[in-house]
Amino acid sequence: MSRNPLYTEVFNLKISKQQKQTLEKLKSRNIKVSSFVRKAIAEKIKRDYAELQEKPKKEYNPFD
């Protein structure tokens, strides 16, 4: 019985030199960078969830 892979999508992004150095420091301290980035993204989405939702468009009603 095989399990479905948990992470199947790839997203490439550019980061600054300082950000790369910081991630390398984390790696040197035995912190899994991929897990760290995934948790940071999840936290940011959770925090900004209300703003990310599509807002209903207000229809113009000339009789209001």
Side-chain angles (χ1 to χ4, degrees):
M1 189 191 304
S2 66
R3 286 180 38 190
N4 290 336
L6 185 59
Y7 303 113
T8 59
E9 304 299 316
V10 176
F11 186 83
N12 294 320
L13 66 132
K14 291 187 178 187
I15 58 175
S16 69
K17 188 174 185 178
Q18 185 176 6
Q19 290 170 329
K20 185 172 188 228
Q21 290 171 344
T22 303
L23 292 175
E24 287 172 352
K25 273 187 192 176
L26 291 174
K27 187 176 180 181
S28 71
R29 295 179 182 168
N30 294 327
I31 296 173
K32 292 182 180 179
V33 174
S34 56
S35 296
F36 179 85
V37 172
R38 278 191 215 103
K39 286 178 186 176
I41 291 170
E43 182 181 309
K44 178 69 173 167
I45 291 172
K46 186 176 179 181
R47 191 175 24 192
D48 294 347
Y49 183 77
E51 293 176 29
L52 297 172
Q53 292 299 306
E54 210 174 295
K55 293 170 181 61
K57 292 186 179 182
K58 199 172 189 180
E59 291 186 27
Y60 174 71
N61 186 351
F63 302 108
D64 279 344

